[in-house]
């Protein structure tokens, strides 16, 4: 069962809470993210990580931070869901990997790394998961053009005579 | 019948005999990556029955095929695979680009999707549609047979003459202009786009 008072007493009152319809959300500072998630898992029963993704707030109205990383947790006993969000900024695009807590974080963290370039120290195998390995950009960043910067054209042309 | 020939002998050209055999036993290699693949399956199923035209032998090994049907969008991660499959197919071989995505990229004008497979492999026939109906694919198959019958030769010398790429140039100048106008972040390591001179050398046309 989620208890905000316990979290605030232990990790400081920088943790803010909000709700939208049946979404229950907290925003936590990045430096205490891992201990908070560990506490949520071991003491408050959130035993499944349903989703891990990121948001780029570049040019977003009213935004003060560049990236938000979102963890959606589920308590499989009482079906309670909790959305944990933390904000990070360049050049320190690093967050501790939550792979030791939930094994489902494996591919999700790889995807966030692939699309946003956010690094998760402690991940067992942080490689690109969707884009080719030789790809160097991070395509879901807002400063990356939708049509790419030439990657989709960078292949040899085979004519009929030489095939 | 010519005088002096036995009853079960007739005269023809060697090219015509080869074309007749080849065009009536096209073995397709289905490269189905999207909804066009479903229509391709429907074409092979009993209602439309591609077997009526001798092309029912879908082989999933390129070594046994002579007609590549690119059905669906080709993403940049898949393109080297497509090129490898094309190169693995034995001669004589042909290629049908099926549907809007395979021909032009369709609505998927993004960094990941190749804007038409004809930019990188030779294509003989384009099928429009999103996705094309099975009838349309059958019409394309018949058109393919006609093309083989009209242009084919026994030793495939018509292929060797096609030394220039038939599709649009991979680098279009619009993209280069956009890439030059972009202000990349300092810490962002990105692929360096070719300069205008390099692109023109690679075959891009000036607008």
């Amino acid at each position: 069962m989620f208890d905000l008072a316990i979290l605030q007493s232990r990790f400081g009152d920088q943790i803010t809470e909000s709700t939208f319809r049946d979404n229950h959300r907290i925003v936590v500072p990045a430096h205490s993210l891992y201990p908070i998630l560990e506490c949520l898992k071991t003491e408050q029963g959130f035993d499944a990580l349903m989703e891990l993704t990121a948001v780029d707030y570049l040019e977003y109205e009213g935004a003060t931070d560049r990236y938000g990383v979102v963890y959606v947790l589920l308590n499989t006993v009482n079906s309670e869901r909790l959305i944990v969000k933390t904000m990070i900024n360049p050049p320190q695009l690093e967050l501790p990997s939550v792979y030791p807590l939930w094994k489902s974080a494996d591919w999700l963290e790889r995807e966030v790394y692939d699309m946003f370039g956010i690094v998760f120290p402690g991940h067992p195998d942080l490689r690109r998961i969707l884009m080719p390995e030789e790809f160097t950009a991070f395509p879901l960043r807002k400063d990356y053009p939708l049509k790419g910067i030439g990657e989709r054209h960078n292949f040899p042309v085979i004519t009929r005579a030489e095939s | 019948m010519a005088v002096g020939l036995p009853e079960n002998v007739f005269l023809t050209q060697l090219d015509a005999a080869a074309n007749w055999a080849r065009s009536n036993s096209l073995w397709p290699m289905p490269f189905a990556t999207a909804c066009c693949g479903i229509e391709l399956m429907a074409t092979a199923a009993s209602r439309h029955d591609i077997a009526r035209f001798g092309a029912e032998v879908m082989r999933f090994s390129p070594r046994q095929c002579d007609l590549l049907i690119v059905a669906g969008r080709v993403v940049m991660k898949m393109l080297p695979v497509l090129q490898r499959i094309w190169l693995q197919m034995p001669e004589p071989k042909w290629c049908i680009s099926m549907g809007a995505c395979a021909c032009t990229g369709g609505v998927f004008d993004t960094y990941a999707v190749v804007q038409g497979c004809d930019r990188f492999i030779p294509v003989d026939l384009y099928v429009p549609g999103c996705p094309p109906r099975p009838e349309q694919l059958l019409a394309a198959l018949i058109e393919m047979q006609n093309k083989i019958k009209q242009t084919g030769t026994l030793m495939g010398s018509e292929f060797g003459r096609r030394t220039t790429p038939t599709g649009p140039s991979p680098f279009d100048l619009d993209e280069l202009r956009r890439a030059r106008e972009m202000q990349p972040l300092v810490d962002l390591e990105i692929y360096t786009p070719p300069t205008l001179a390099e692109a023109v050398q690679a075959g891009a046309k000036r607008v």
Side-chain angles (χ1 to χ4, degrees), chain A residues 50-110:
Chain A
M50 303 309 291
E51 180 63 271
L52 196 170
T53 187
V55 188
D56 188 348
Y57 285 106
L58 184 72
E59 296 172 12
Y60 191 86
E61 204 175 318
T64 52
D65 298 284
R66 177 75 195 269
Y67 297 103
V69 182
V70 184
Y71 300 77
V72 181
L73 311 181
L74 172 68
N75 183 338
T76 54
V77 177
N78 59 7
S79 299
E80 187 185 8
R81 281 171 197 269
L82 179 69
I83 299 168
V84 181
K85 189 162 141 186
T86 185
M87 311 300 289
I88 54 173
N89 287 295
Q92 277 297 310
L93 291 182
E94 279 188 4
L95 278 178
S97 171
V98 296
Y99 178 79
L101 299 178
W102 299 283
K103 294 288 178 280
S104 61
D106 187 353
W107 283 16
L108 297 173
E109 285 180 351
R110 280 179 64 185

Side-chain angles (χ1 to χ4, degrees), chain A:
Chain A
M1 201 57 205
F2 176 63
D3 191 340
L4 183 67
I6 291 179
L7 288 183
Q8 283 180 334
S9 67
R10 203 179 302 172
F11 303 106
D13 48 6
Q14 283 179 307
I15 305 170
T16 55
E17 185 189 30
S18 64
T19 54
F20 175 73
R21 296 192 180 147
D22 56 348
N23 286 350
H24 195 191
R25 312 175 292 196
I26 59 173
V27 179
V28 305
H31 58 85
S32 54
L33 172 77
Y34 191 86
I36 287 174
L37 288 176
E38 193 174 26
C39 171
L40 285 171
K41 187 203 173 188
T42 54
E43 296 170 29
Q44 307 196 4
F46 290 96
D47 50 358
L49 174 71
M50 303 309 291
E51 180 63 271
L52 196 170
T53 187
V55 188
D56 188 348
Y57 285 106
L58 184 72
E59 296 172 12
Y60 191 86
E61 204 175 318
T64 52
D65 298 284
R66 177 75 195 269
Y67 297 103
V69 182
V70 184
Y71 300 77
V72 181
L73 311 181
L74 172 68
N75 183 338
T76 54
V77 177
N78 59 7
S79 299
E80 187 185 8
R81 281 171 197 269
L82 179 69
I83 299 168
V84 181
K85 189 162 141 186
T86 185
M87 311 300 289
I88 54 173
N89 287 295
Q92 277 297 310
L93 291 182
E94 279 188 4
L95 278 178
S97 171
V98 296
Y99 178 79
L101 299 178
W102 299 283
K103 294 288 178 280
S104 61
D106 187 353
W107 283 16
L108 297 173
E109 285 180 351
R110 280 179 64 185
E111 188 183 356
V112 170
Y113 165 69
D114 192 356
M115 291 291 138
F116 292 93
I118 296 169
V119 183
F120 295 92
H123 189 282
D125 183 23
L126 195 67
R127 285 178 293 127
R128 286 185 179 272
I129 190 170
L130 297 172
M131 301 310 291
E133 279 183 25
E134 63 271 17
F135 203 81
T136 49
F138 300 110
L140 243 50
R141 288 183 176 180
K142 290 291 183 196
D143 53 2
Y144 180 84
L146 171 67
K147 297 180 184 180
I149 41 182
E151 294 95 338
R152 66 183 181 181
H153 300 327
N154 196 17
F155 296 99
V157 181
I158 301 177
T159 65
R160 186 63 183 85
E162 63 195 23
S163 58

Side-chain angles (χ1 to χ4, degrees), chain B residues 78-199:
Chain B
M78 201 66 181
L79 188 83
V81 181
L82 176 64
Q83 285 187 328
R84 187 167 177 169
I85 286 176
W86 172 253
L87 291 175
Q88 280 179 340
M89 286 167 62
E91 293 282 358
K93 58 189 173 184
W94 298 271
C95 176
I96 288 181
S97 170
M98 177 186 178
C101 299
C103 295
T104 67
V107 296
F108 302 100
D109 192 4
T110 72
Y111 61 93
V113 181
V114 171
Q115 300 298 294
C117 67
D118 57 346
R119 290 179 184 232
F120 301 108
I121 64 168
V123 171
D124 289 280
L125 207 65
Y126 301 86
V127 189
C130 184
R133 291 271 310 159
E135 293 92 325
Q136 221 166 340
L137 186 61
L138 289 177
L141 184 72
I142 296 168
E143 199 60 39
M144 192 78 242
Q145 291 177 336
N146 288 340
K147 183 176 179 177
I148 294 170
K149 281 171 186 161
Q150 283 163 13
T151 66
T153 54
L154 181 69
M155 304 305 288
S157 59
E158 80 273 21
F159 300 134
R161 286 196 291 274
R162 290 166 58 184
T163 49
T164 49
T166 47
S169 160
F171 297 104
D172 60 77
L173 293 185
D174 201 35
E175 296 232 11
L176 290 175
R177 198 172 299 128
R178 194 171 51 244
R180 279 202 308 278
E181 285 164 3
M182 206 187 65
Q183 298 285 325
L185 289 190
V186 187
D187 59 337
L188 195 67
E189 275 191 24
I190 48 179
Y191 163 79
T192 315
T195 62
L196 188 64
E198 284 168 0

